[in-house]
Amino acid sequence: MHANIPGHQDLQNIIPIDYNANFFFERAVKSLDRFQYGKALKYFRKAVEYEPDNPVNHCNMAGILSETGDYEGSNRVLKHILDQVDSSMTECHFYMANNYANLEQFEEAEQALITYLEEDSSGQFMDEAEEMMELLHYELNRPTKVNKIKSREGMVEHEQARALLEEGKFAQAAKLLETIVEDCPDFMSARNNLALAFYYMGRFAKAKEVIGDVLDKEPGNLHALCNLAIFYQHEKDEEGLHRLLDMLSVTIPFHQEHVFKLATTMGILGRHEAAYGHFRRLTKDEEFSSDASLYHYTAVAACNSGRMEDAVRYWRQCKRLDPANDVADFYLAQLDSLQESDSGSLKVSYHYHLPFEEQFKVWEHDGAALTEEAKSNPLIRSSFFWALRHGEPHIKLQVIQTLELIADEEVQHALHLFLQEPGEDVELKAAAELVLTRLEGASGREAAGEMPSDSLNEVLPEWHKEWQQVLDLAVSMGQRQDPYRKREMERLWSQFLSRMYPDLPKMRNLSGWAAALEYTAGKLAGDSYTYEKLAERYQISSSTVRRYARQLAMTDADREEARNNFRPFTEKS
């Protein structure tokens, strides 16, 4: 019967409007496209009314308020989202930082930005956040302090660890890297650097284990493969090394960092021709072309592969970029001598510093210069630790003596590890133990608030003139008159007197004690001293030198045993 109702057919063609959040959202978007911000804001507010628990609608409303200059209103909405709707909307902190910056409330902007960086895991606005940090740095006249960036979790700490590695502070770096790896198991760069830290510390098995973990997760990780190749060389695993080198030899990395890693690895492994090709490629890159050390590495690879003219060219460029450094001049002079004598090829280390023998010649009479250079130059510092593990015996001894001048916790740790090495020379270990004892003694005095003194008469409660006479005689008669040897004898003598005090022997034979002191210092330094040689110079018997030298070498345990075995003579009745 409805057919007879007027207008009924028209009503059937009407489509009812469903007023919901989507409806108002679409209207708001259309208004935005027409730059009708007032209407857009009205529609977004309606969308919020229909879906109050949807944070996106609130964010859209905050965005419109910000666009219209109502930054405070926008921040009220953003704060409502974080407090009442969805606290996981960490991007709201970034939006609030923008609003505060527009209000010129830079302190509040900084705090909101730090919160964003520390809580946001997606890193959606990282580029914009970095730009804002530059702005805030300018406005507040100080850098923004960010403890960690969650979207780059471990990155800040990793940079700190890398800096420690470059400074030669391997134990500290390893400790920090272990924490990063524990918190971020998939952070492969941290794992690779942890392996290197262990390697430089001499913990080879641990280093190889870490590399194995990396390659289990990423079989093609170039840094790990390069490190593994170096470990194979250390272990003299020829089969594993050749198999890996075959793979690395045909690898052409795309990223410049990978090119540098492969180049240095090939150089260390003696594949200088391959290293030269990779280093040359880097010199053509603007990012690296001002790095003097790169030209040194390229020159070394050229020299070691017989390309002497190329080596000269690259060392000259190195000298132009770093005129204060003597490395390029030294090797250019070496090449000149080689050409004049026509004596063949020259094999050069990739380290960007003078060879150890040359360094110690320069520093022999200037301990202060040596100390300053070793402390300030991370390359030299790290190479000292390397030479302590892998150098020739005479180099190891020089390094041990030099480490005493650096005198920090990392040095003490390195010496402890050296003493634990089963195959090291006994005399080298004795020298290391002596240095370590002195360093730990000085550390103890400083910890107790005492200042170490260079004056010998402050080492003991009293200082007798015959003790000083022994020392003066040993120094004046000594074959070597360098400052280090004098200092070494001073320390040996004061250590002996301190250890024996107050039960000190009578100093009747000053020449005997002086000869023994010079003999002991010479032996620790690796000199070929004999009792007979010293006896002749001091005009005493060799048995006298031997007797006093044994007393100088007496340990606390020996001394206690001698006391226990001593039986005084009794008067016969």
Side-chain angles (χ1 to χ4, degrees):
M1 306 305 290
H2 294 294
N4 296 325
I5 299 174
H8 175 72
Q9 190 65 34
D10 295 332
L11 290 173
Q12 288 181 327
N13 294 329
I14 294 174
I15 300 173
I17 297 174
D18 185 10
Y19 291 102
N20 56 25
N22 285 336
F23 171 81
F24 291 109
F25 176 82
E26 290 173 3
R27 288 294 179 99
V29 171
K30 288 179 180 177
S31 299
L32 279 177
D33 290 340
R34 296 167 184 161
F35 303 103
Q36 297 172 338
Y37 294 113
K39 281 189 175 182
L41 179 58
K42 181 180 69 175
Y43 289 131
F44 276 131
R45 278 186 172 140
K46 292 297 289 184
V48 165
E49 289 178 14
Y50 277 89
E51 288 185 359
D53 295 330
N54 186 339
V56 175
N57 292 329
H58 291 273
C59 271
N60 288 327
M61 189 165 66
I64 293 296
L65 290 170
S66 182
E67 284 290 335
T68 57
D70 187 359
Y71 303 117
E72 292 177 343
S74 176
N75 273 356
R76 282 195 296 271
V77 174
L78 293 167
K79 191 173 185 305
H80 173 76
I81 295 170
L82 292 168
D83 293 344
Q84 305 293 331
V85 183
D86 187 353
S87 60
S88 69
M89 291 281 289
T90 51
E91 60 265 39
C92 291
H93 294 292
F94 177 73
Y95 300 144
M96 291 174 74
N98 271 288
N99 288 334
Y100 282 129
N102 285 319
L103 290 167
E104 297 187 1
Q105 297 176 13
F106 299 113
E107 295 279 356
E108 291 82 355
E110 181 184 53
Q111 189 54 53
L113 185 62
I114 290 172
T115 304
Y116 167 73
L117 292 171
E118 293 182 349
E119 294 186 6
D120 182 74
S121 59
S122 68
Q124 179 182 358
F125 298 107
M126 271 307 304
D127 291 340
E128 294 86 346
E130 289 175 353
E131 289 179 9
M132 189 179 294
M133 286 172 73
E134 291 180 11
L135 168 68
L136 294 174
H137 187 175
Y138 174 79
E139 294 291 347
L140 296 173
N141 198 28
R142 58 173 169 76
T144 300
K145 294 182 180 180
V146 182
N147 294 322
K148 66 175 183 177
I149 299 176
K150 190 166 185 178
S151 63
R152 298 178 180 175
E153 198 164 8
M155 293 291 286
V156 174
E157 296 88 344
H158 184 239
E159 286 303 311
Q160 294 170 354
R162 285 184 67 242
L164 289 170
L165 276 177
E166 289 170 2
E167 292 169 14
K169 298 177 180 178
F170 307 123
Q172 294 178 46
K175 185 176 181 180
L176 181 54
L177 288 164
E178 283 182 303
T179 302
I180 296 170
V181 167
E182 185 177 344
D183 293 339
C184 311
D186 295 328
F187 198 160
M188 295 302 135
S189 295
R191 286 183 182 271
N192 280 325
N193 284 325
L194 177 60
L196 286 178
F198 284 140
Y199 182 63
Y200 290 132
M201 292 163 64
R203 300 174 63 182
F204 302 117
K206 190 69 176 173
K208 195 172 179 183
E209 178 187 329
V210 174
I211 288 301
D213 293 339
V214 174
L215 293 174
D216 284 343
K217 293 175 178 291
E218 292 184 6
N221 188 294
L222 184 63
H223 278 266
L225 291 170
C226 288
N227 291 340
L228 183 61
I230 293 171
F231 297 166
Y232 279 152
Q233 183 187 56
H234 173 80
E235 294 175 336
K236 296 181 171 56
D237 183 350
E238 297 294 333
E239 182 180 348
L241 179 59
H242 284 303
R243 185 174 62 251
L244 194 49
L245 276 175
D246 288 342
M247 180 197 306
L248 294 175
S249 297
V250 296
T251 301
I252 303 175
F254 176 76
H255 295 292
Q256 301 298 64
E257 181 189 350
H258 291 167
V259 178
F260 186 80
K261 178 68 175 180
L262 187 56
T264 53
T265 302
M266 287 300 189
I268 292 169
L269 297 175
R271 298 295 181 98
H272 305 296
E273 191 71 37
Y276 177 65
H278 293 305
F279 280 130
R280 274 191 65 202
R281 179 179 164 190
L282 288 172
T283 61
K284 298 173 182 177
D285 188 286
E286 289 184 5
E287 184 180 347
F288 291 86
S289 60
S290 60
D291 185 350
S293 63
L294 173 62
Y295 287 93
H296 167 73
Y297 304 142
T298 313
V300 172
C303 181
N304 289 344
S305 55
R307 301 171 180 271
M308 300 306 176
E309 291 183 5
D310 291 339
V312 169
R313 187 172 76 255
Y314 285 115
W315 266 316
R316 284 175 178 167
Q317 179 62 17
C318 173
K319 181 65 177 176
R320 281 193 288 271
L321 292 171
D322 190 7
N325 198 308
D326 295 330
V327 173
D329 282 338
F330 173 79
Y331 286 115
L332 286 169
Q334 291 282 302
L335 289 180
D336 286 342
S337 300
L338 193 69
Q339 290 175 347
E340 289 176 6
S341 62
D342 195 25
S343 57
S345 60
L346 175 69
K347 292 299 178 184
V348 183
S349 166
Y350 282 87
H351 287 299
Y352 186 44
H353 55 66
L354 293 174
F356 277 108
E357 292 84 350
E358 296 301 319
Q359 287 176 336
F360 286 114
K361 284 179 187 176
V362 172
W363 295 331
E364 190 171 8
H365 301 294
D366 191 353
L370 184 153
T371 307
E372 184 62 30
E373 184 73 9
K375 284 185 174 181
S376 63
N377 189 330
L379 280 174
I380 289 178
R381 181 187 176 88
S382 61
S383 64
F384 279 163
F385 290 122
W386 178 262
L388 184 62
R389 288 286 176 184
H390 308 290
E392 295 297 321
H394 71 286
I395 293 294
K396 288 183 178 182
L397 181 62
Q398 288 177 311
V399 168
I400 289 168
Q401 294 168 346
T402 304
L403 290 179
E404 183 172 5
L405 300 175
I406 302 175
D408 59 20
E409 290 183 9
E410 199 76 25
V411 164
Q412 293 183 29
H413 182 78
L415 291 173
H416 273 298
L417 290 174
F418 181 77
L419 291 173
Q420 294 170 21
E421 284 295 311
E424 287 295 348
D425 181 82
V426 175
E427 290 189 354
L428 286 176
K429 282 192 172 183
E433 190 165 14
L434 182 63
V435 169
L436 188 58
T437 300
R438 289 197 289 254
L439 293 181
E440 290 178 340
S443 298
R445 290 193 299 273
E446 289 176 8
E450 301 174 22
M451 289 301 292
S453 173
D454 291 331
S455 177
L456 290 176
N457 61 7
E458 292 181 20
V459 175
L460 295 155
E462 53 185 340
W463 186 258
H464 297 293
K465 68 176 182 179
E466 61 265 28
W467 300 350
Q468 188 65 45
Q469 288 170 349
V470 169
L471 180 60
D472 291 343
L473 180 59
V475 170
S476 64
M477 292 283 286
Q479 249 185 345
R480 289 188 57 175
Q481 300 295 326
D482 61 86
Y484 184 85
R485 183 58 58 87
K486 178 178 181 290
R487 183 181 171 194
E488 188 67 9
M489 285 196 285
E490 287 176 349
R491 288 182 171 177
L492 278 172
W493 190 232
S494 64
Q495 184 187 47
F496 166 72
L497 295 173
S498 300
R499 188 172 68 240
M500 299 298 292
Y501 190 87
D503 302 323
L504 286 159
K506 296 294 183 182
M507 300 288 170
R508 295 189 180 94
N509 191 337
L510 300 184
S511 295
W513 283 108
L517 180 57
E518 186 184 348
Y519 174 84
T520 305
K523 277 296 182 182
L524 286 174
D527 296 337
S528 55
Y529 280 6
T530 63
Y531 297 126
E532 290 75 14
K533 183 178 179 181
L534 270 297
E536 181 181 352
R537 180 138 34 96
Y538 284 84
Q539 297 183 347
I540 55 178
S541 68
S542 60
S543 60
T544 300
V545 181
R546 181 185 294 107
R547 184 171 72 254
Y548 289 135
R550 285 179 176 173
Q551 290 190 58
L552 273 176
M554 183 181 289
T555 64
D556 289 337
D558 296 331
R559 181 185 173 204
E560 189 62 30
E561 184 179 354
R563 276 179 173 173
N564 294 337
N565 293 335
F566 177 72
R567 296 290 182 270
F569 290 101
T570 57
E571 186 177 343
K572 293 182 181 180
S573 57

